[in-house]
Amino acid sequence: MRAAYVTDRSHFLRGAAFDLIGSAIGMRRIQYSAVIGCFGLTPAADWLLRRRKFWTLVQCDACAARGCYHNVCLSEASVLIPLFVRGGKLHTLMTLRSKQLKTSAGEVCFPGGKRDPSDQDDVGTALREAEEEIGLQPGNVQVICKLFPVINKSGLLVTPVVGFIDETFRPVLNPAEVSAVFSVPLDFFISDKDHYASHNAPGMMGALHSFYFADPVSKSQYHIWGLTAMLAVVVAAIALKKKPEFDVGFDSEDPLSFFQQVLHTRLSKL
């Protein structure tokens, strides 16, 4: 991301970035010096960031690189949650997967996919997939953090990566993987207006969240649900420092324990 972009929006982005970095959601420490330098945090903020217990790791060091938890090894994947500012409000970018894909065809997702042997880490996977799917260059993403890993419906261990992009970014779609790209105001995911929830869904702990978003640009309506919806709710609640208008099924200010429980429960059944 260009330095000028960050400087122009420094006050807004510092607050959002600091909340995302500082929340007790189980984020791993990523590109610490880059974040400090890019957002120009003061020495006091820098000291606080180093001092507070932000970086909760649930993986042992020996297993971290292999996606192994409690002696259970899983295939890994990453998604990128791109954030940008438009009209003074935070937005996120989402994709509609191609109907030709073998898995999750025609579903709304964040850019992402399975880890490739050439990927250095979770961040590398997320950035590579975003470039392949929508033409987002890795150098144009300011990575802020990684969220707590979750297991998706296909049994993949998915690590969400949060990063800022420039609002002027124009996607270049890979039609083999993506059929549409659209942006959503982040506060949409804390409003009850277009939110629906189903409980006791098979394989789910807590509510299965669902949103119907009418895109004013394309005039299309998108169904955002499942893991994608849950991640959007978590990021929105933390970044905007607002409690969702609906019951999310966990403490939206500190969802770490909930995601730990979900992960451990899923692992115990493998």
Side-chain angles (χ1 to χ4, degrees):
M1 182 180 293
R2 300 193 305 273
Y5 172 74
V6 176
T7 300
D8 292 343
R9 297 159 177 79
S10 59
H11 295 296
F12 189 97
L13 294 183
R14 281 184 198 175
F18 192 76
D19 290 330
L20 282 167
I21 296 169
S23 67
I25 195 176
M27 302 172 184
R28 297 179 208 165
R29 183 173 174 176
I30 297 297
Q31 295 188 350
Y32 176 83
S33 59
V35 171
I36 295 300
C38 182
F39 287 93
L41 299 180
T42 65
D46 176 51
W47 173 85
L48 179 64
L49 209 54
R50 293 179 187 276
R51 184 178 178 84
R52 290 179 62 179
K53 305 292 185 180
F54 291 158
W55 318 110
T56 304
L57 290 175
V58 295
Q59 290 174 291
C60 64
D61 291 338
C63 297
R66 302 195 306 273
C68 299
Y69 286 75
H70 300 282
N71 298 320
V72 177
C73 292
L74 304 169
S75 296
E76 295 179 271
S78 295
V79 296
L80 178 67
I81 303 178
L83 302 179
F84 63 93
V85 182
R86 175 180 292 161
K89 297 176 62 176
L90 270 175
H91 289 65
T92 189
L93 207 63
M94 293 182 155
T95 69
L96 184 68
R97 288 171 61 84
S98 169
K99 292 184 178 181
Q100 309 304 318
L101 295 173
K102 295 181 180 179
T103 59
S104 302
E107 294 185 5
V108 171
C109 297
F110 288 110
K114 290 184 179 180
R115 173 176 279 196
D116 188 275
S118 63
D119 295 334
Q120 183 175 357
D121 52 22
D122 298 318
V123 172
T125 299
L127 296 180
R128 175 184 55 76
E129 287 285 346
E131 182 178 15
E132 291 177 0
E133 292 181 5
I134 61 174
L136 178 58
Q137 297 296 316
N140 292 330
V141 181
Q142 177 58 52
V143 174
I144 300 303
C145 60
K146 295 193 290 184
L147 306 187
F148 196 88
V150 291
I151 300 178
N152 71 2
K153 61 184 179 180
S154 301
L156 291 172
L157 185 67
V158 180
T159 297
V161 177
V162 182
F164 282 105
I165 64 174
D166 198 310
E167 66 171 307
T168 61
F169 167 67
R170 295 294 178 264
V172 178
L173 278 60
N174 177 352
E177 299 190 49
V178 176
S179 59
V181 178
F182 60 100
S183 62
V184 186
L186 213 54
D187 59 9
F188 175 81
F189 296 107
I190 58 174
S191 171
D192 193 39
K193 181 181 178 182
D194 296 292
H195 169 262
Y196 303 87
S198 56
H199 298 271
N200 302 317
M204 288 291 298
M205 287 183 64
L208 177 65
H209 296 283
S210 181
F211 297 87
Y212 288 91
F213 176 68
D215 181 21
V217 177
S218 66
K219 309 302 180 184
S220 299
Q221 179 167 277
Y222 296 102
H223 183 202
I224 307 166
W225 66 285
L227 178 59
T228 300
M230 176 66 77
L231 293 176
V233 169
V234 170
V235 172
I238 294 172
L240 301 176
K241 292 193 285 189
K242 291 183 179 180
K243 185 177 181 180
E245 297 175 354
F246 47 87
D247 181 17
V248 294
F250 56 86
D251 183 353
S252 59
E253 295 182 356
D254 182 13
L256 173 58
S257 59
F258 172 79
F259 282 101
Q260 284 180 321
Q261 181 184 3
V262 171
L263 180 60
H264 295 164
T265 299
R266 291 289 301 274
L267 289 173
S268 68
K269 297 179 180 180
L270 297 178

